[in-house]
Amino acid sequence: MKKFSLLLVMCLFAGAFFVNTTQAQESDDPGLIFLMEEFVAPADMAEFWKVQQEAFDLFDELDFNFTIWAYQTSENSFYWAMPMKNFAGIDKIYGDMMKYSQLMKENGYDGDAKFRDISNISQSVVMWNKELSYHPDGVSDEGKGFHEWTFMYLKSGHEKEAADAAKKYIEFYKNIDSDYSWDIYQVVFGEHTPCWILEVQAESEAALRETEDALMKEYRDDFRKLWQNMVQHVRTIETKKGWYLSAWSRQAEE
C-alpha cells in the first residue's frame, strides 16, 4: 500500500486488472472489458483446477472461438477478462456462454454439475483509460507473468481532480530516466463506483519491487508531493497480486 502512495501504484483490473491492452492501444476502441472474478474456497481449489482444465480441454476439442484473458490472484480467486466494443457485447458474451454450455453438455460435460458448490462470481465492466495510462515506449506490457492491481475508490464527484493529479505523475515520469509503465481502467458498471484500477506488470514480483525500490530511493520527496495531490480525492485503496494464466487464456481468430 505504501508503494502506491509513492510510485503511482494507482488503481482498475483485475485484476488483472489487469488485462491485455494491445487492441485498445492500437485503435480508437474504448477498451471495454467484461470482467468476472471467480472466488474459490481453499478447500475446493484442487477440484476447481481439475474441472476448469477439463472445460478448457473441451473448448479446444470443439474449436470454440473466443477471446479471454485469465489470471489467478493471491486471494483465492480468478479473473476472467473478455474484451467488448460496446455494452451490447454483454449480450453476445452471455449468448455464447449458453451456446457453448449446451454443446459441452451434448459432449458429456455438465458445467452446472461440475462447478456446483465450488465457486461464486462477481461481474463488472471496466474501460481502459488511454489518457491516464502510461507506456514510455508506446508498447503495452503484454505477456508479463506478474500483475499487481490497485483499486482506488474515489470520493464521489472527484473524478476530474483525481485525473488532474494522475496527469502530474505522467508529466513527472516523462522527465526521468525510467521505463516504469502502467494502465488505468475505470469501473463503469459494478459495485463501489467511482473506482479506478491501476495495473502494473513485471516478469516477477521481485523484479517489480526492485524497480520501485530504486525509484523510491531516488525520488522519494517528489513522490510524496505527487501523492499529496492525489490522496485528498481518494476514499480507500486495496491492492491485489496476480499471475497471468497462459494455459487458460485464448485469442479469437479474426
Side-chain angles (χ1 to χ4, degrees), residues 201-214:
Q201 303 182 38
E203 298 300 333
S204 66
E205 183 177 6
L208 181 61
R209 295 287 89 85
E210 182 179 355
T211 297
E212 291 180 341
D213 288 345

Side-chain angles (χ1 to χ4, degrees), residues 150-204:
T150 302
F151 294 78
M152 175 185 291
Y153 302 98
L154 302 178
K155 294 178 180 178
S156 180
H158 284 241
E159 292 90 336
K160 182 182 183 303
E161 293 90 340
D164 290 340
K167 291 174 185 177
K168 291 184 182 298
Y169 279 93
I170 294 176
E171 293 171 4
F172 173 78
Y173 272 91
K174 284 181 177 179
N175 290 292
I176 65 172
D177 183 19
S178 173
D179 60 359
Y180 195 81
S181 63
W182 62 82
D183 289 290
I184 287 184
Y185 300 83
Q186 296 167 264
V187 178
V188 294
F189 181 79
E191 296 181 350
H192 308 303
T193 57
C195 176
W196 290 356
I197 304 170
L198 170 95
E199 178 188 52
V200 292
Q201 303 182 38
E203 298 300 333
S204 66

Side-chain angles (χ1 to χ4, degrees), residues 15-16 19 55 66 89 91 94 102 119 165 185 203 236:
V19 295
F66 62 97
D91 290 337
Y94 276 113
Q102 182 59 38
S119 65
Y185 300 83
E203 298 300 333
T236 187

